Amino acid sequence: MIDESLLNRLIEEMSSKGAEYAEARYHSIVRTSIIVLNGMVIGVGKEVKEGIALRAVAEGGLGFASSTSLNTEDALAAARRAVMAAKTSAKIRRNPVRMGSARLGRAKYSVVEREPLDDVSLDDKVKSLIEEYKALQLEKNGFKVSSLTLHYAESMETKVVVTSDGAHVESRVPRVVVFYNIAASNGGKQANRFFELGGSGGYEVYRGFNLAKQIQDDIESLYIALTRAGSPPKGWMDVIVSPELVGLIVHESAGHPSEADRVLGREAAQAGMSFRSYYKEERIGSEHVTVVDDPTIPGSLGFYLYDDEGVAARERVLYDHGRLAELLHNRETASVYGVESNAAARAMDYESEPIIRMANTYMKPGDYSFEELVEDVKHGVYIKKYMEWNIDDVRWGQRYVGLEAYIIENGELKQPVTNVVLETTTKNFYSSIDAVGKDLKFYAGICGKGEPAQGVPVWMGGPHVRLRNVYIG
Amino acid sequence: MDIHSLAEQAAKIVSKYAGEYIVKITRTDDLMAKYARGESTVTQSWSTIDVEVYAAKNQRILVTSYSTTTPERALEELPRLIEALQPSPLYAPLPQANGEPLSFVDEKVREVVLSGDARKQVEELALEEAGDVAGKVEFALKKVVLVGSNGADYSYEATHFNGYVRVFQEKSSGQWSWTSSSYEPSLARKALEQAVELASLCSRLPKKSIEPGRYRVLLSPMVAGNLVEHLAMAASAGSIIFGFSFLQARKPGDKVASEELTVLDKPRDTSLPGFTGFDDEGIATKDKPIVEKGVLKTILHNTKTARVLGGETTGNAGWITPHPYNIEVQPGDHTLDELIEALGTGVYITNNWYTRFQNYLEGRFSTVSRDAVILYENKKPVACTERIRIADSMPNLFSSIEAIGRETWQIEWWEVTVPTRIPHILVKDVGLSRPT
């Protein structure tokens, strides 16, 4: 932990060197990870990432500096570097950077661990992962799981954010995530399933994963894909998309294009821009489509109450009944647009500048049951699980490839198919939705952006949705 | 701060609890200017110390990483962590260290980084003169110390100058990158020229869609660099063991690509910034082919993966997963004009991103183009197309290489994370798709 008077001193140092705005963040992440391969512990990892991040606006330029050392002298040197960096930026800056006014916090919060992570021994955590593996059925009729890698990671993120205009926010967020990769074969054919689970809280989050059940379900998907699934259909048809895929799609084609820094071009050479920079229409989808991003969902992987500029968080409506709505803002972009920041500034760690990020992005549920969505499809396909996906750098053309999918005939699920390709545009996807399920589910992910690249934890979610007459092939 | 003393101090603590250990400390000083819309968006400056520790006791493996200048307290919990473990199936004794350290420091880069002031260089490069330009320029100085129970006691220093630029002209764009161990402004200027030329060409040409199908494709060094990095990573024994490699069923001696293709891992080439004379186990690195004339020659190993899969360490540790350091694709005989002549009617893809696998084991993937995609008919550029995808399999793509260019480029950016020296590559029958 840090002596908070040091952060105030760093603010003073940056101000005295010419900073019009100064921000100091103590940021610590302590992470323990366990890697299990085929039921055996490969190793345990421990990571402590702790240091100070500083930002300054000077002469209209923006500078960032970080220091591993918490020693006063080293930290003060970093403060001076931040101001120098800002002045370097100012040399090639036409429009001065401004930090808009915002609802700044003076607050302290933490996520409660109902079962504190430190109360469960590492030994018990290791044993639990091995027990989960032992419970799995790995072979069936010539089908075989050739390798199964489990990666468990628990972390505690502690931050203190102080700004020269009055924010002071302390936070403490524990998280638990599990990644796994299943490699399976049947005869000469092979396939993978990679998946991630995650949430904020204590060890109860891990217990809630029902890991063995979850993995067994994915093994079954691979079994189907490698033994029974037919070739994918091609042509125009109705498509039911699962919550797993809807979550990913809204993250990629509603969340990312709504990041104001992309819209303004700040990430143009890295994560790209946004169709919202030039798209002139008001409508992007049908009236059934409402997509929001909300950092305040309890237990979520992207949870926070104040962002890394000290601004109070709230739900942001990105697509509102099919219409383009809010952008995600930090204080810099909010000032350009003449609005207040809606608290989207996040930094991965103390070596990272806060940039605009999603937290928990999801499509609002409707009122259809899964059966009601299916029963009205004459000829179509249901995409349940996917592996491959990507989207272009303006978040318009996108591709998703189903691992487990089913033909729908006359309102009934029929034979399984695999490698079903949905390659469409953002407008086509959202405009084709004619019904939305009531079964909202969330999925965990790490979202990448920035330079150097920053990966931050997020949730992505949605219900089942039905698309009318889209091209599969 | 003397990081060698810090390493010895950490080693002393670890040696109390672990029979075998390696301590690696990296001090990085880094300065990066970032651009968009022809102006600077932020300049960033880092001073970072990472303390990484590998410890093994009774065949149990622990890997830790601390960004701290005072690791003592953190290291005190080592015994609690290590006692909770079970013997690792990956365990192998640390080999006797035999590192052959290499250093390369460009004094100009060092001076810029340590002063924290890149104003002069940023003004000299004048990237903003290209108009609507985005990108980054980075200067870094790194010092690494490695000490271990296996006799390792090595250190080296390295400098790094790299960046990339994306230029927009009307609705077209071009992007290119550079990387080097030295401050070579000419590399940045050449990258800028390439980006301007591609953006300019597409802004003059008409726009035309192409139908999904198989095409002869010319891959720029940016695109080829991304795909070859996936090939090199698939040759890591870690990727094979953890089920992420399309080379899983292959062994050295198998044909995995067209005979035109030779891919080298070159850790001892100090002109590329990924160089090192010793790996994370203290073993001497060596330059070697991963693929030679289309034949798989080397699976990249550390001591552990070599024991599991059979073979010997190739000096590519990674304590858990081996990795390449600098990648080089051996140049061919063809000028760019000759490659375009051979392309005839086809597609020149100049940049890509978001490469994702449907099936790691069979190598089925797609990747999305960005920036200029130029359609050629009868050797002439006739149009530029919208964003398309390469949707194919890695084995198919590498087996379909027809020709390799003569001129190489040093590439490193978001989608090419290992410094790579690579020419243009011509491939036939590449699957291309687009949204419907």
Side-chain angles (χ1 to χ4, degrees):
Chain A
M1 205 49 197
I2 190 167
D3 173 3
E4 289 185 27
S5 65
L6 176 60
L7 295 180
N8 291 325
R9 188 152 171 215
L10 297 173
I11 297 283
E12 283 166 20
E13 181 73 7
M14 287 188 278
S15 301
S16 75
K17 297 293 174 195
E20 300 130 32
Y21 168 83
E23 174 189 293
R25 168 170 38 98
Y26 164 79
H27 199 151
S28 157
I29 299 173
V30 178
R31 182 178 290 116
T32 303
S33 56
I34 305 166
I35 305 173
V36 176
L37 174 66
N38 299 332
M40 291 179 281
V41 179
I42 289 288
V44 161
K46 177 83 187 215
E47 184 188 9
V48 178
K49 209 148 179 90
E50 180 187 29
I52 294 172
L54 301 154
R55 283 203 309 172
V57 175
E59 298 174 3
L62 177 63
F64 171 89
S66 80
S67 169
T68 305
S69 172
L70 303 179
N71 168 299
T72 304
E73 210 170 288
D74 293 338
L76 286 169
R80 291 189 286 274
R81 281 192 285 116
V83 178
M84 174 62 80
K87 290 177 179 173
T88 302
S89 262
K91 285 269 175 195
I92 31 179
R93 180 92 203 171
R94 292 185 304 275
N95 306 300
V97 171
R98 296 195 195 290
M99 295 292 174
S101 64
R103 212 154 56 96
L104 299 177
R106 296 190 68 80
K108 184 174 183 174
Y109 69 95
S110 59
V111 168
V112 173
E113 298 168 77
R114 288 206 301 275
E115 188 175 1
L117 291 164
D118 287 344
D119 285 2
V120 182
S121 72
L122 183 62
D123 192 31
D124 284 343
K125 288 168 185 161
V126 166
K127 281 180 184 152
S128 170
L129 289 167
I130 292 171
E131 287 307 313
E132 302 276 10
Y133 178 83
K134 284 182 179 166
L136 299 171
Q137 187 190 349
L138 301 166
E139 290 185 48
K140 184 157 75 164
N141 305 327
F143 164 90
K144 188 181 171 191
V145 171
S146 49
S147 83
L148 171 56
T149 311
L150 283 172
H151 189 138
Y152 167 94
E154 61 181 44
S155 64
M156 180 65 72
E157 182 173 33
T158 309
K159 289 188 276 193
V160 183
V161 175
V162 179
T163 68
S164 56
D165 51 3
H168 185 121
V169 177
E170 297 178 42
S171 63
R172 184 177 173 278
V173 179
R175 294 187 184 87
V176 180
V177 298
V178 170
F179 307 87
Y180 58 84
N181 180 41
I182 310 167
S185 63
N186 184 59
K189 292 199 297 184
Q190 304 179 89
N192 290 88
R193 168 73 168 167
F194 180 84
F195 199 68
E196 179 181 353
L197 299 150
S200 58
Y203 199 64
E204 73 281 358
V205 174
Y206 171 78
R207 296 195 195 280
F209 291 158
N210 293 319
L211 194 57
K213 184 169 177 293
Q214 175 74 38
I215 296 173
Q216 192 67 58
D217 192 59
D218 281 338
I219 291 173
E220 185 62 22
S221 299
L222 287 168
Y223 175 73
I224 291 167
L226 287 173
T227 60
R228 291 199 286 125
S231 300
K234 282 183 193 289
W236 296 89
M237 63 191 74
D238 296 344
V239 178
I240 309 278
V241 183
S242 70
E244 173 183 317
L245 190 47
V246 169
L248 177 73
I249 293 173
V250 298
H251 174 92
E252 300 292 4
S253 63
H256 276 307
S258 300
E259 294 162 345
D261 53 353
R262 277 175 185 275
V263 177
L264 292 171
R266 190 187 196 261
E267 300 297 314
Q270 295 88 23
M273 296 181 66
S274 167
F275 70 87
R276 292 186 73 165
S277 304
Y278 54 80
Y279 186 82
K280 299 296 177 208
E281 297 170 43
E282 182 191 20
R283 186 162 282 286
I284 191 68
S286 75
E287 69 273 18
H288 307 288
V289 173
T290 293
V291 179
V292 302
D293 185 87
D294 186 356
T296 68
I297 300 171
S300 62
L301 194 58
F303 179 83
Y304 61 87
L305 294 180
Y306 292 86
D307 77 356
D308 290 341
E309 294 179 333
V311 181
R314 63 168 172 83
E315 180 188 88
R316 290 77 63 115
V317 180
L318 309 178
Y319 295 171
D320 187 1
H321 294 89
R323 292 188 175 83
L324 293 174
E326 269 184 287
L327 297 174
L328 295 169
H329 281 294
N330 59 13
R331 295 182 63 183
E332 181 186 350
T333 62
S335 140
V336 174
Y337 280 83
V339 297
E340 279 212 343
S341 167
N342 50 22
R346 298 176 71 186
M348 175 175 74
D349 54 29
Y350 81 94
E351 293 175 283
S352 305
E353 60 162 343
I355 54 175
I356 296 175
R357 310 306 300 262
M358 283 171 269
N360 306 299
T361 315
Y362 67 99
M363 184 181 288
K364 291 272 189 184
D367 48 16
Y368 280 73
S369 69
F370 178 66
E371 292 72 22
E372 287 167 337
L373 291 172
V374 174
E375 71 186 12
D376 204 20
V377 174
K378 202 165 178 192
H379 168 63
V381 65
Y382 167 44
I383 305 176
K384 188 176 177 186
K385 296 181 182 179
Y386 71 93
M387 272 292 288
E388 175 190 328
W389 87 99
N390 48 39
I391 185 163
D392 70 31
D393 60 305
V394 290
R395 303 281 157 179
W396 190 251
Q398 53 212 280
R399 174 183 166 103
Y400 309 95
V401 185
L403 173 69
E404 183 185 1
Y406 295 86
I407 297 291
I408 304 172
E409 293 291 351
N410 297 319
E412 287 184 11
L413 293 188
K414 298 289 187 183
Q415 70 272 24
V417 287
T418 190
N419 297 330
V420 172
V421 178
L422 172 62
E423 190 162 352
T424 187
T425 64
T426 295
K427 184 162 190 182
N428 282 348
F429 175 78
Y430 292 105
S431 300
S432 304
I433 294 175
D434 85 324
V436 176
K438 54 187 173 188
D439 53 341
L440 174 62
K441 286 186 185 169
F442 288 99
Y443 297 84
I446 299 293
C447 175
K449 187 179 172 184
E451 180 62 88
Q454 301 185 39
V456 295
V458 296
W459 260 6
M460 308 167 275
H464 281 90
V465 302
R466 185 173 62 209
L467 314 180
R468 290 297 194 194
N469 198 33
V470 292
Y471 188 78
I472 290 291
Chain B
M1 173 169 300
D2 175 11
I3 62 170
H4 197 272
S5 307
L6 192 60
E8 285 180 340
Q9 186 189 332
K12 198 171 165 189
I13 298 170
V14 180
S15 66
K16 286 193 278 183
Y17 309 119
E20 297 173 274
Y21 63 87
I22 299 268
V23 175
K24 179 183 179 186
I25 301 192
T26 307
R27 178 178 180 124
T28 310
D29 292 284
D30 197 323
L31 195 59
M32 179 196 293
K34 196 175 158 190
Y35 299 72
R37 299 283 192 205
E39 62 181 353
S40 169
T41 53
V42 65
T43 299
Q44 304 181 80
S45 163
W46 295 270
S47 179
T48 307
I49 295 176
D50 290 308
V51 180
E52 295 168 90
V53 176
Y54 167 86
K57 183 182 180 186
N58 299 333
Q59 304 194 6
R60 300 157 176 176
I61 294 175
L62 181 69
V63 173
T64 62
S65 161
Y66 308 96
S67 63
T68 175
T69 53
T70 52
E72 304 88 340
R73 213 179 63 196
L75 289 174
E76 292 298 337
E77 71 168 339
L78 246 144
R80 179 180 72 79
L81 295 171
I82 211 160
E83 292 306 330
L85 293 178
Q86 298 171 358
S88 169
L90 210 57
Y91 172 79
L94 279 176
Q96 183 61 40
N98 64 358
E100 297 166 9
L102 296 164
S103 277
F104 180 88
V105 172
D106 179 281
E107 288 305 327
K108 176 57 76 180
V109 175
R110 187 207 294 265
E111 182 191 318
V112 169
V113 170
L114 294 184
S115 70
D117 183 358
R119 284 178 292 183
K120 185 162 167 274
Q121 287 68 32
V122 162
E123 281 182 310
E124 258 173 28
L125 292 171
L127 300 179
E128 69 280 7
E129 286 177 6
D132 190 354
V133 62
K136 75 151 190 184
V137 178
E138 184 174 12
F139 302 82
L141 170 68
K142 176 172 81 170
K143 180 165 187 183
V144 178
V145 172
L146 189 100
V147 297
S149 58
N150 61 345
D153 187 356
Y154 308 123
S155 67
Y156 75 100
E157 278 191 287
T159 46
H160 192 170
F161 169 59
N162 76 104
Y164 49 81
V165 280
R166 190 178 194 195
V167 173
F168 295 85
Q169 290 193 7
E170 296 174 14
K171 289 183 177 174
S172 301
S173 60
Q175 184 159 351
W176 213 268
S177 81
W178 75 89
T179 188
S180 175
S181 296
S182 309
Y183 180 60
E184 295 183 72
S186 61
L187 292 179
R189 279 196 282 272
K190 268 183 83 177
L192 186 65
E193 282 166 18
Q194 285 290 116
V196 168
E197 191 180 320
L198 292 169
S200 167
L201 177 60
C202 273
S203 70
R204 295 193 307 273
L205 289 171
K207 300 284 180 283
K208 183 182 168 188
S209 291
I210 60 167
E211 288 306 309
R214 294 207 166 264
Y215 292 81
R216 179 168 277 127
V217 170
L218 180 61
L219 305 174
S220 78
M222 298 279 282
V223 182
N226 172 257
L227 300 175
V228 166
E229 184 171 306
H230 282 284
L231 173 66
M233 284 310 298
S236 161
S239 303
I240 292 170
I241 289 170
F242 293 116
F244 286 108
S245 174
F246 57 89
L247 297 175
Q248 180 157 301
R250 302 307 189 98
K251 55 186 188 305
D254 286 355
K255 193 165 188 312
V256 296
S258 150
E259 64 182 25
E260 303 291 329
L261 185 69
T262 294
V263 179
L264 306 156
D265 176 34
K266 296 192 74 176
R268 303 197 71 81
D269 181 344
T270 56
S271 66
L272 287 174
F275 77 85
T276 176
F278 52 89
D279 74 0
D280 286 354
E281 293 181 331
I283 294 298
T285 56
K286 58 184 176 188
D287 295 346
K288 67 273 187 187
I290 296 172
V291 171
E292 189 173 67
K293 294 184 175 174
V295 174
L296 179 63
K297 297 298 274 191
T298 310
I299 299 294
L300 304 178
H301 278 301
N302 58 30
T303 311
K304 295 171 193 61
T305 60
R307 193 188 63 79
V308 171
L309 295 184
E312 289 183 1
T313 177
T314 54
N316 286 86
W319 291 324
I320 303 292
T321 298
H323 58 83
Y325 298 99
N326 290 319
I327 294 171
E328 180 177 291
V329 169
Q330 210 162 66
D333 301 327
H334 306 275
T335 64
L336 183 57
D337 286 345
E338 288 166 351
L339 289 175
I340 286 172
E341 181 133 330
L343 176 68
T345 295
V347 185
Y348 176 24
I349 303 178
T350 64
N351 197 17
N352 71 309
W353 83 319
Y354 230 130
T355 304
R356 290 290 184 279
F357 285 79
Q358 169 71 3
N359 185 326
Y360 290 97
L361 303 167
E362 295 181 351
R364 290 169 57 103
F365 78 102
S366 68
T367 188
V368 196
S369 76
R370 51 192 269 173
D371 307 300
V373 180
I374 306 160
L375 307 183
Y376 280 80
E377 283 177 15
N378 300 317
K379 308 162 196 173
K380 300 281 181 218
V382 294
C384 285
T385 188
E386 76 277 20
R387 294 165 173 87
I388 56 169
R389 281 177 178 74
I390 297 174
D392 212 312
S393 83
M394 289 281 175
N396 184 57
L397 188 130
F398 287 113
S399 298
S400 303
I401 291 173
E402 290 187 309
I404 296 198
R406 181 191 298 170
E407 186 183 8
T408 58
W409 298 79
Q410 294 178 186
I411 302 291
E412 183 185 3
W413 83 289
W414 248 46
E415 300 293 325
V416 183
T417 58
V418 178
T420 297
R421 184 180 289 120
I422 190 164
H424 284 77
I425 295 181
L426 184 69
V427 192
K428 66 178 178 185
D429 296 333
V430 178
L432 301 182
S433 72
R434 66 173 173 82
T436 305

